[in-house]
Amino acid sequence: MSSLCLAVATLALSQPIAPPNEDHRFKWWNEAKFGMFIHWGVYSVPADNTTKSGGRSIAEWHLSNQQLQISEYEKYAPQFNPVKFDARAWVRKAKDAGMKYIVITTKHHDGFALWPSKLTSWRVGAASPFTRDPLKELAQECKRQGIRLGFYHSIMDWHHPDYLPRRGWETRSASGADMNRYVDYMKGQIRELLTGYGPISVLWFDGGWERNEQDLRSKEVNQMIRELQPNILINDRNRLAEDFSTPEQTIPANALPNGRPWETCMTINDTWGFAKDDHNWKPTKTLVRNLIDIASKGGNFLLNVGPTAIGEFPPETDTRLAEVGQWLRKYGKAVYGSEKSPFKRPPSYGRVTRKGDSLFLHVFDWPANGELTIPGLKTPIRSARVLGGPSLSAEGATVVGVPAEKNPIATVVEVRLRGKLEVEDVPLGPDARGNLVLLPNDATLHGGLQVEDGNGTPNVGFWLKSTDSIEWNAQLPASGQFKVSLVYAAEPAAAGNEISVAGLPFTTVSTGSWQSYRMVDLGTVSLPSGNVKLNIQVKKMTTGAVINVRQLVLTKI
Ligand code: FHN
């Protein structure tokens, strides 16, 4: 880079990066919404997700799962010869699935370089008979087919002699290992990747959790990345928040605060690297509804593919990608470039995405009465139409009518409004059956309580003080009797606290762990019509923590 160019780049870097909604680097990202993650490397040879103790794990961790010595793991590299690797086919499959970007593992934790790096012989072409450069072929195909390319790069490197810490079972000495020298090596490889393969849209770091920002020289490394590729997006896994958050295998309960960009990455079965015995393939309906749920909260979805050692996608992956693409070809307008729902809660029948003053209702389950109400919508509806289908009538903030053809995954109704979108907060109320289902995100939390993601099912946690409490405010159209049920979790050490749930006493019993939830029926209460307050309070705290709460359910009697 010329000195003038470097000076300009450095000046650009010294300027604060604009907020995401004004930062040109996110324009393609906000439009794309859906990408393909690829985990592929030497670990694809054993394709084994079992652990030494006979459990199941993720296949790309084979070296760790089986507690192998480096020398034992290196024996797989000569078998990595993906003669059927076809970049054109891979990119075509991503495009046909409706994916707009690809993020591929350049190097995973095993340290094996998927490109002819000049800095190591632990790579394709040297340690393996595969002398081609798969990243080059993929970059060329992405450019030809108009797909953006990102690089996953693991900071943790079980193979490199300078990376520390060693694995606990290793016999290889750590003496002489120098983390600074390792970071120089990592910088050198990243420089190769960001100068040899054209425009790279994402640097997807991973495996930074063993060392801190100072050890990894994170600021220095990321600054180099931005100098080399000023338009690149860097994720939050090099010990710095950078451009976007990366919830993994879960979908946050809500959009992240302050418009923080985020992307959920998820496996299509249970493992990132291909595992010959992992047949737990997610149904296409689940994959599409995950994409819809993520888009309704303003996120991107990075769906993983684990190609085989010979260079092919598993047939179960091919089938699902094709079916997701089929749905997106009909309804993608409601996903690509969409914004998160303007409403605090999703409707009972599905999800909502938005584009300016238009709304898209993603209908999973059509209400029996054929009415799609939009709770909280103040602006009257001007028109409603099933995407690719018939018009539907509208009355105020309700779409009326059920189309003859309903998509079993989700049918999308485009709703155009009579003017600027205006919404209002809708008080909590009973569902269609008259029951009150009270959730963490609808509660007012007093004290140090927090809503935890709970692996995609939010829970109230961090209940460490007897003065903390949970409160819901709801509106009841009529008075009535309700059965009170609590869905909670408590580890054995937390059993025995005396709490009050909607006024009913309960002495907590262990459910086994903080993640093991159980529903308990606590009795019945009479509630008046109008605004009702329902809370969970501590009467007597005998242990260090109280409970985790997933739901409070009041079932109409
Ligand atoms: O350890 C890795 C894992 O192998 C996989 O690459 C995932 C994908 O994001 N990231 C790490 C686990 O959080």
Side-chain angles (χ1 to χ4, degrees):
M1 182 184 278
S2 72
S3 53
L4 173 63
C5 184
L6 184 56
V8 169
T10 307
L11 178 64
L13 284 161
S14 62
Q15 307 300 325
I17 292 176
N21 58 347
E22 297 160 19
D23 184 333
H24 71 280
R25 297 176 302 128
F26 285 93
K27 188 172 183 311
W28 73 268
W29 162 279
N30 296 331
E31 179 59 33
K33 306 304 287 181
F34 189 32
M36 178 184 278
F37 213 171
I38 298 177
H39 278 68
W40 193 44
V42 166
Y43 44 79
S44 308
V45 172
D48 177 0
N49 63 342
T50 62
T51 63
K52 195 166 185 174
S53 56
R56 293 173 71 82
S57 178
I58 42 185
E60 68 283 3
W61 275 64
H62 182 63
L63 180 150
S64 177
N65 294 341
Q66 294 297 327
Q67 298 190 354
L68 301 179
Q69 298 303 321
I70 292 297
S71 55
E72 293 174 297
Y73 186 77
E74 287 174 338
K75 289 173 184 160
Y76 290 115
Q79 302 168 57
F80 184 69
N81 187 19
V83 292
K84 293 213 172 164
F85 169 62
D86 178 349
R88 179 160 301 189
W90 284 20
V91 176
R92 168 54 54 200
K93 286 176 179 179
K95 279 191 81 168
D96 289 350
M99 294 160 153
K100 304 297 183 184
Y101 60 109
I102 291 174
V103 177
I104 185 167
T105 50
T106 60
K107 180 192 90 165
H108 204 265
H109 310 332
D110 63 357
F112 186 80
L114 211 54
W115 78 100
S117 170
K118 294 181 173 57
L119 302 178
T120 180
S121 58
W122 180 233
R123 61 172 172 83
V124 290
S128 101
F130 193 64
T131 56
R132 291 156 51 188
D133 180 346
L135 299 189
K136 182 76 78 178
E137 294 178 30
L138 201 61
Q140 288 164 346
E141 268 310 310
C142 284
K143 183 178 179 185
R144 200 179 69 81
Q145 299 192 45
I147 288 273
R148 284 183 172 260
L149 180 61
F151 284 157
Y152 166 110
H153 198 74
S154 175
I155 295 164
M156 177 164 65
D157 188 320
W158 298 328
H159 188 275
H160 197 282
D162 279 330
Y163 180 83
L164 294 173
R166 291 279 190 270
R167 301 306 96 189
W169 59 87
E170 271 201 79
T171 56
R172 185 176 52 156
S173 163
S175 70
D178 178 333
M179 260 311 275
N180 250 329
R181 194 165 52 212
Y182 171 73
V183 174
D184 292 339
Y185 166 80
M186 183 176 77
K187 279 185 73 176
Q189 286 202 318
I190 291 172
R191 181 177 290 276
E192 289 181 323
L193 292 166
L194 298 186
T195 55
Y197 296 88
I200 300 301
S201 297
V202 181
L203 201 294
W204 214 100
F205 276 112
D206 202 5
W209 55 79
E210 292 187 325
R211 308 305 301 246
N212 63 31
E213 176 194 333
Q214 289 67 35
D215 296 344
L216 299 178
R217 296 159 34 200
S218 304
K219 283 195 177 70
E220 171 196 329
V221 172
N222 288 5
Q223 172 148 349
M224 175 196 78
I225 290 167
R226 295 196 189 282
E227 285 166 1
L228 294 172
Q229 298 257 359
N231 294 322
I232 203 166
L233 297 174
I234 304 175
N235 77 352
D236 60 348
R237 298 196 179 189
N238 186 15
R239 311 300 284 182
L240 297 167
E242 296 295 3
D243 295 315
F244 65 95
S245 298
T246 54
E248 178 170 318
Q249 301 285 39
T250 69
I251 301 170
N254 289 305
L256 298 193
N258 310 316
R260 167 76 175 171
W262 60 277
E263 171 196 75
T264 276
C265 58
M266 196 175 277
T267 52
I268 199 166
N269 49 8
D270 289 331
T271 176
W272 304 91
F274 173 65
K276 54 186 175 297
D277 295 331
D278 180 345
H279 307 295
N280 190 26
W281 302 97
K282 294 178 177 71
T284 301
K285 176 186 275 190
T286 301
L287 301 174
V288 174
R289 290 189 177 183
N290 283 348
L291 172 61
I292 292 167
D293 187 27
I294 289 165
S296 76
K297 296 163 181 173
N300 279 29
F301 187 25
L302 192 63
L303 178 62
N304 184 74
V305 171
T308 63
I310 198 82
E312 294 179 315
F313 292 1
E316 298 85 351
T317 296
D318 282 339
T319 307
R320 284 154 180 79
L321 292 179
E323 291 169 348
V324 172
Q326 185 181 12
W327 187 89
L328 279 167
R329 275 188 293 281
K330 184 161 187 178
Y331 299 114
K333 177 181 179 184
V335 173
Y336 299 126
S338 66
E339 304 159 72
K340 67 180 182 177
S341 168
F343 306 107
K344 188 176 178 184
R345 283 183 289 282
S348 57
Y349 49 77
R351 295 292 183 273
V352 178
T353 55
R354 171 190 182 181
K355 274 185 181 174
D357 290 327
S358 286
L359 298 173
F360 296 93
L361 311 182
H362 301 256
V363 185
F364 299 166
D365 309 301
W366 286 84
N369 63 5
E371 294 184 359
L372 300 175
T373 58
I374 308 175
L377 176 63
K378 285 181 74 176
T379 315
I381 295 172
R382 174 158 60 87
S383 67
R385 167 185 292 281
V386 175
L387 284 185
S391 297
L392 299 173
S393 57
E395 293 160 15
T398 299
V399 174
V400 181
V402 179
E405 185 192 335
K406 297 189 287 292
N407 186 295
I409 294 177
T411 308
V412 179
V413 177
E414 180 174 13
V415 172
R416 293 176 187 267
L417 303 176
R418 295 185 185 286
K420 293 299 288 170
L421 171 68
E422 284 186 70
V423 302
E424 59 189 346
D425 196 8
V426 177
L428 268 177
D431 61 17
R433 299 182 188 83
N435 303 330
L436 268 179
V437 180
L438 303 175
L439 303 172
N441 285 302
D442 297 325
T444 301
L445 304 180
H446 298 289
L449 299 175
Q450 293 176 31
V451 175
E452 298 175 278
D453 177 59
N455 271 338
T457 308
N459 66 270
V460 175
F462 293 91
W463 201 331
L464 308 175
K465 290 183 182 171
S466 61
T467 52
D468 291 354
S469 67
I470 306 175
E471 177 186 316
W472 287 276
N473 279 288
Q475 287 281 357
L476 286 180
S479 62
Q481 291 274 341
F482 294 84
K483 178 179 76 170
V484 177
S485 309
L486 176 68
V487 181
Y488 82 100
E491 67 173 15
N497 291 303
E498 295 173 23
I499 63 175
S500 163
V501 182
L504 299 173
F506 175 48
T507 300
T508 60
V509 174
S510 169
T511 63
S513 77
W514 290 120
Q515 289 74 38
S516 309
Y517 283 86
R518 178 186 302 166
M519 178 180 268
V520 289
D521 295 338
L522 301 176
T524 60
V525 292
S526 295
L527 295 175
S529 64
N531 185 49
V532 292
K533 278 187 192 306
L534 296 151
N535 46 44
I536 305 177
Q537 299 164 317
V538 178
K539 293 303 178 190
K540 185 179 175 189
M541 188 168 173
T542 58
T543 69
V546 185
I547 54 175
N548 281 355
V549 173
R550 191 171 263 178
Q551 285 185 11
L552 178 58
V553 181
L554 280 80
T555 306
K556 189 106 173 54
I557 298 172

